[in-house]
Amino acid sequence: MKQGIDIEQPVQISPEARVQILETLRANKIPAEYGLRVGIRGGGCGASWVLGFDTPGETDEVYALDGVRVLIDKKHLLYVLGLTIGYERHSEGSGFTVERP
């Protein structure tokens, strides 16, 4: 296991991202059984990050991170371990960011 990464808290959520996630859940009246899905799509050089709201499936691990319910498929855990989910505002717009350690 990588030093400094807590398996009980496999991803970090910045304070700005937390506010945006909770506001999106509230504003869109997303039911409590939903959580933020964090994962990957594709593989190799063509892989992309998955961030979205979903309900847990049979192969998901569910975490409570700073008041945010996070869903990670067990197959994706190794790839997302240590990620930091952020939120940035800039002149072209705003959006979530994903940073690897």
Side-chain angles (χ1 to χ4, degrees):
M1 184 165 79
K2 294 180 182 178
Q3 186 176 359
I5 297 175
D6 181 359
I7 193 68
E8 297 300 317
Q9 192 165 357
V11 298
Q12 302 292 314
I13 300 173
S14 75
E16 298 84 8
R18 179 182 178 276
V19 167
Q20 290 301 316
I21 291 165
L22 295 175
E23 176 60 23
T24 299
L25 289 166
R26 186 196 63 72
N28 292 293
K29 299 179 181 164
I30 297 174
E33 63 267 15
Y34 279 71
L36 178 69
R37 177 163 303 283
V38 178
I40 59 167
R41 178 177 297 125
C45 295
S48 60
W49 300 113
V50 172
L51 290 177
F53 297 106
D54 199 1
T55 56
E58 290 182 18
T59 60
D60 288 330
E61 294 287 344
V62 180
Y63 302 90
L65 307 177
D66 298 322
V68 176
R69 189 173 191 207
V70 176
L71 315 174
I72 302 173
D73 188 308
K74 292 175 187 174
K75 297 179 295 192
H76 297 191
L77 189 56
L78 180 64
Y79 301 102
V80 303
L81 198 60
L83 289 182
T84 297
I85 299 166
Y87 190 83
E88 292 183 353
R89 297 176 198 273
H90 42 77
S91 60
E92 294 87 38
S94 57
F96 291 97
T97 61
V98 177
E99 295 180 27
R100 293 192 61 79

